C-alpha cells in the first residue's frame, strides 16, 4: 500500500512522543543542577593527585619522577622535585613534588599522564563544573587543589580504585616477602659462618724451647 512507510514512521514518532511523557526510562529532560545523570565509571575530565591516609602531604603517592610532565602532549604539567625524601607506601624513601601544577585551560584530558605513571599517583577526576570568571591563574591548579584522598578516588572510580589498591597491596607484600627472605638468608649465612669458625681446629703454636734433632744428637 502506498505510503505505508510514512505511516509507520509517524506511528513510531507518536509512540516516542507519548512515551517521553509517560515512561520513566524514556524521559530525556533532566532538571540540572537539581537532578543529575550518573556518570559512567570510565568518565574522565581532568587529572588529580591521589594520597593515602589523612595527610595529603605525607601520603601523596607522587615521587616527582616527572614522567607525566615529559609525556604530556600539551605540556600543561609543571613539577619541581623536593630536596629531601619521605617514605612511600612500601617504606622506601622517595622524593616528592615540591611544586605540582596543571593548567586545565590547556589540558586535553587525554589520560596519558595516568597511563605512564608507575606509582598510581595521578588519576582522572569526574568533576566538570570548573568554570571560572578569570581567564588565567584561576585555571592553574596547584598541588593542594589537585590532591584528593584515596577514599574520594574510590567514590568516583570504585572498580578501578579497587584494582589499583589490590595491585599496590600485592607489590607491598612481595617487597616485604623479598626483604624477609633476604634477612633470613643473611641470618643463615651468619650462623653458618659462626659454626664453621667453632669447628675449624686451631694449629698448635711452635715451641721454641724444644731442642732440635741436631742439638739432641
Amino acid at each position: 500500500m502506498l505510503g505505508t512507510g510514512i505511516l509507520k514512521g509517524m506511528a513510531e514518532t507518536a509512540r516516542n512522543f507519548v512515551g517521553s511523557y509517560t515512561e520513566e526510562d524514556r524521559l530525556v529532560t533532566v532538571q540540572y543542577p537539581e537532578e543529575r545523570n550518573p556518570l559512567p565509571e570510565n568518565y574522565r575530565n581532568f587529572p588529580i593527585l591521589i594520597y593515602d591516609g589523612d595527610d595529603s602531604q605525607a601520603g601523596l603517592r607522587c615521587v616527582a619522577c616527572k614522567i607525566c610532565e615529559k609525556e604530556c602532549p600539551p605540556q600543561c604539567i609543571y613539577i619541581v622535585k623536593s630536596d629531601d625524601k619521605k617514605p612511600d607506601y612500601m617504606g622506601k624513601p622517595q622524593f616528592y613534588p615540591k611544586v605540582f601544577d596543571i593548567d586545565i585551560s590547556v589540558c586535553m584530558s587525554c589520560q596519558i599522564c595516568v597511563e605512564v605513571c608507575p606509582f598510581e599517583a595521578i588519576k582522572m577526576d569526574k568533576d566538570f563544573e570548573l568554570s571560572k570568571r578569570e581567564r588565567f591563574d584561576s585555571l592553574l591548579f596547584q598541588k593542594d587543589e589537585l590532591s584528593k584522598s584515596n577514599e574520594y578516588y574510590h567514590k568516583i572510580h570504585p572498580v578501578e580504585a579497587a584494582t589499583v589498591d589490590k595491585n599496590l597491596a600485592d607489590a607491598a607484600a612481595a617487597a616485604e616477602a623479598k626483604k624477609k627472605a633476604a634477612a633470613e638468608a643473611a641470618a643463615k649465612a651468619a650462623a653458618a659462618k659462626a659454626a664453621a669458625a667453632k669447628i675449624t681446629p686451631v694449629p698448635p703454636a711452635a715451641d721454641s724451647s724444644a731442642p732440635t734433632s741436631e742439638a739432641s744428637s
Side-chain angles (χ1 to χ4, degrees):
M1 177 178 163
L2 186 64
T4 303
I6 296 176
L7 293 176
K8 287 182 178 180
M10 293 179 66
E12 181 68 18
T13 302
R15 186 171 65 84
N16 288 330
F17 176 76
V18 174
S20 65
Y21 285 94
T22 59
E23 300 176 21
E24 184 177 354
D25 59 343
R26 298 176 69 88
L27 295 176
V28 296
T29 302
V30 176
Q31 302 301 323
Y32 180 86
E34 290 79 10
E35 298 178 6
R36 298 167 184 259
N37 283 330
L39 297 174
E41 167 77 14
N42 293 330
Y43 178 86
R44 64 175 188 256
N45 201 36
F46 295 115
I48 55 175
L49 295 175
I50 305 299
Y51 67 87
D52 297 304
D54 299 327
D55 191 340
S56 61
Q57 300 298 322
L60 199 64
R61 294 178 182 176
C62 179
V63 299
C65 64
K66 295 189 176 184
I67 295 177
C68 58
E69 182 184 51
K70 295 175 183 176
E71 297 295 332
C72 177
Q75 297 293 292
C76 65
I77 300 177
Y78 177 70
I79 301 173
V80 176
K81 186 183 293 187
S82 64
D83 299 323
D84 57 335
K85 295 184 178 182
K86 66 177 181 64
D88 63 2
Y89 67 96
M90 292 192 296
K92 183 179 179 181
Q94 298 279 8
F95 289 104
Y96 59 92
K98 184 164 57 175
V99 175
F100 196 116
D101 297 341
I102 295 180
D103 188 352
I104 65 169
S105 66
V106 180
C107 177
M108 54 192 287
S109 302
C110 65
Q111 198 173 268
I112 290 178
C113 55
V114 177
E115 296 173 358
V116 300
C117 178
F119 296 93
E120 305 288 358
I122 186 167
K123 299 298 178 182
M124 301 302 286
D125 199 2
K126 286 187 175 183
D127 187 11
F128 55 86
E129 297 173 317
L130 300 173
S131 60
K132 305 290 183 180
R133 298 181 66 88
E134 299 81 10
R135 295 179 56 193
F136 301 108
D137 290 347
S138 61
L139 296 176
L140 181 65
F141 280 22
Q142 299 177 344
K143 184 174 66 171
D144 293 339
E145 299 171 280
L146 295 170
S147 298
K148 303 290 183 180
S149 67
N150 192 34
E151 287 75 16
Y152 176 81
Y153 177 40
H154 274 267
K155 183 179 178 181
I156 62 174
H157 295 294
V159 177
E160 180 183 286
T163 303
V164 169
D165 279 0
K166 183 180 182 302
N167 293 339
L168 293 178
D170 291 344
E176 184 64 26
K178 185 177 180 181
K179 183 179 178 180
K180 185 177 180 181
E184 291 176 354
K188 288 181 180 179
K193 185 176 180 180
K198 290 181 180 179
I199 297 173
T200 303
V202 179
D207 189 357
S208 59
S209 61
T212 60
S213 58
E214 294 180 357
S216 60
S217 60

